[in-house]
Structure formats: C-alpha cells, structure tokens
Amino acid sequence: MASKTPPAGPSTPAGASFDAVLARWQLEADGEPILTATGALLPVRQAGVAAMLKLFSDDEEKTGAALLSWWAGEGAARVLAADGGAILMERAEGRRSLMEMSRNGCDVEACDILCDVASALHRKRPHQPPSTLIPLETRFGALFENAPAFGGILPACASHARALLASADDDARPLHGDLHHANVLDFEGRGFLAIDPKGLWGERAFDFANIFCNPDGADPALRIARNPTVFDRRLMQIAKRAALDPHRLLVWIAAWCGLSAVWFMRDNNRLSEIPLEIANHALSRLQALPRR
C-alpha cells in the first residue's frame, strides 16, 4: 500500500520532509502530523506495527532522544531507530490517561504511577549515560538571571535553588526533566512509560518536583495541583513512595516552580500564575516542616 505522506515545508522542522525517513525506514504514515515548537511527530506503521516518528532540529530534543535511547525501554518508550534528527519510537495505544485519572478523582493512583515510572528511569545502569545531558545548574540559569527583576517570591525560589545545587548529594543521575501526567502514557502490556525527556543531570528529587504543577499546567481550568489539601497529600505520598525527605522535596518544588514561572513570565504568559501559586504552598510549608 502506498504511504500517505504529510505535506513538507513549514509543517516539519527547518522545512524538512518526512518523505526520506519514511522511505529509509520502510514506514507507512498512519495519521496526521503533530507539530510542536521544536519538531514534528507522525504516527506510522513499520511492517504493520504501530510506531511514532519524530523529526527535530533543536539541541535539547537531540539530548532527550539520546537519553531515551539510553534508557533502552526501561521506564520509557522504546527507541526502534535513530538517525541524526529523526527518531522512531514505539507508540502508546492504551486508553488510560493520567490526566483523566486525576480529573476523575484518582489522583493518588496517578501520582503512584508517576513515582514508579520515575524510579524506573532513575535506576542505576552499568553503561555510561549520554555526555550531552544538561546539568541542573545550567537549567536554573533563567531563574537566577530573572528573579531579581521579576521580584515577588522569585528571589526566595532562586535562593532555595542555589542552596540545593550547592548542597547536592551524591545522588546525581540522568533526569527526565519534564515528568508529568501528559508525558507518561499507557503502552498497554508494557504499562505506563515516559516520553519526551529533556535530558538533564542532577538530583533525582527534581523529577518528582515536576509532578506538583500538573495536571493544572495542561488544563488551567483544573484546580487539582493548586488545591492545598491535594498539595499536602501529594507531598507526603510522593515523599514516601520515592523515599525522599519531605523538607528537601518542598525546597525542590519551590525552586522548580520559580523556574517554571520565570519561563512563562518572560513570554508574558498568565500560566505563570499556576507555578507561582504552588511555589507559595511550598514556601509556606517550609516554615512549618522541620528539617531531618
């Protein structure tokens, strides 16, 4: 059967076309392209098996693709082929959604799944990780640079981030960098697995802090993550499930939310209100929760 090729030109990164990759890897298009800020995705089939093709030109995407390959399908989508700015992955076809779980009163279950996926990703492996992983010190540069000008609680968030990075333990490892409800999908028999890593390097608690802004970040109409009762329950649940110090996890939440808010504020995006509200929860609780 002839492949249905999506249009080339502006629909793919840097004006690239899917055509060459479809031919090289013997793929058949199986849906419409999905465009992102840094690349383009296309559902495909290879010898009848569902997969997802991704084209990209952004350096961060390249680093994430290298980390996805390094994980070798443990806790993350399996990479079937990779070549420069293209990657072919197994496709999630399950019907379960962590977003819907949280939306429908099953946030505890969704958070447990996120913690289990993170633990699988963080597991020590015998082979060396990609050399291009981005240190958390570099990642937090935007917060350190912009906090003084933006003011409010951001200088406090930046101060906490500096303290965390200065006191980092020996627990550094490859990090997903954007672990949340929309980036952990149902792969049916393989369970829930992560997609779209950013490819960071640092203390594993950072990945768990990412959970706390969602699913509100993907759907601002929700007030699940921002609900103080949910926040407190998640703090204890995730700290226990991931064997983390609740105090240090709170500090990471404040630091991460400050960074997330800065990214939005630089674009004059009102979504900054979500991480700022959650950062306030974390900062207020830090005053009451003793250090271990």
Side-chain angles (χ1 to χ4, degrees):
M1 182 183 295
S3 12
K4 300 173 288 183
T5 305
S11 66
T12 55
S17 167
F18 285 102
D19 292 9
V21 184
L22 288 171
R24 183 165 70 250
W25 288 339
Q26 298 183 330
L27 307 174
E28 178 181 325
D30 192 38
E32 295 301 315
I34 304 163
L35 307 183
T36 71
T38 55
L41 295 145
L42 180 69
V44 297
R45 288 190 176 272
Q46 186 178 55
V49 178
M52 184 68 75
L53 174 63
K54 184 174 187 178
L55 302 185
F56 50 85
S57 56
D58 181 79
D59 286 342
E60 184 178 274
E61 291 286 341
K62 293 178 183 178
T63 298
L67 180 58
L68 198 64
S69 295
W70 183 78
W71 278 324
E74 184 181 1
R78 186 179 288 117
V79 174
L80 307 175
D83 182 10
I87 187 169
L88 183 68
M89 306 162 284
E90 62 179 317
R91 194 199 313 172
E93 295 193 292
R95 295 184 178 182
R96 296 174 298 168
S97 160
L98 297 188
M99 285 277 296
E100 291 305 312
M101 284 184 193
S102 289
R103 193 194 308 269
N104 295 319
C106 296
D107 186 67
V108 172
E109 181 182 356
C111 287
D112 277 347
I113 290 169
L114 285 163
C115 288
D116 290 346
V117 169
S119 295
L121 298 178
H122 295 161
R123 200 164 293 141
K124 297 286 188 180
R125 289 162 169 80
H127 43 299
Q128 289 296 311
S131 60
T132 53
L133 296 178
I134 303 164
L136 286 181
E137 290 85 348
T138 301
R139 194 67 162 178
F140 274 97
L143 176 60
F144 300 146
E145 179 183 349
N146 292 279
F150 288 144
I153 64 170
L154 292 175
C157 295
S159 177
H160 281 305
R162 285 194 178 94
L164 285 167
L165 295 171
S167 65
D169 53 27
D170 296 327
D171 202 23
R173 63 194 65 204
L175 303 175
H176 183 284
D178 196 23
L179 195 72
H180 57 71
H181 298 63
N183 275 343
V184 174
L185 305 181
D186 179 10
F187 283 75
E188 296 183 309
R190 296 242 297 132
F192 279 90
L193 302 171
I195 61 166
D196 199 22
K198 299 306 176 190
L200 308 184
W201 175 266
E203 188 175 329
R204 68 185 181 91
F206 175 85
D207 267 349
F208 295 96
N210 276 245
I211 298 170
F212 284 79
C213 285
N214 288 280
D216 298 19
D219 184 355
L222 298 174
R223 289 198 60 85
I224 297 171
R226 287 167 286 175
N227 182 311
T229 301
V230 172
F231 180 92
D232 291 336
R233 187 263 301 156
R234 282 180 165 189
L235 178 67
M236 293 298 104
Q237 176 192 359
I238 292 172
K240 182 178 180 180
R241 189 92 176 186
L244 296 170
D245 173 11
H247 185 280
R248 194 167 180 89
L249 178 55
L250 274 175
V251 182
W252 274 113
I253 295 166
W256 158 247
C257 287
L259 176 60
S260 178
V262 159
W263 285 335
F264 286 125
M265 292 170 76
R266 291 193 306 189
D267 295 332
N268 294 313
N269 190 327
R270 291 193 61 185
L271 284 175
S272 62
E273 296 171 5
I274 295 173
L276 286 174
E277 187 171 346
I278 295 166
N280 265 313
H281 289 334
L283 291 170
S284 66
R285 283 148 182 80
L286 277 170
Q287 299 175 6
L289 188 65
R291 295 177 187 267
R292 281 187 182 175

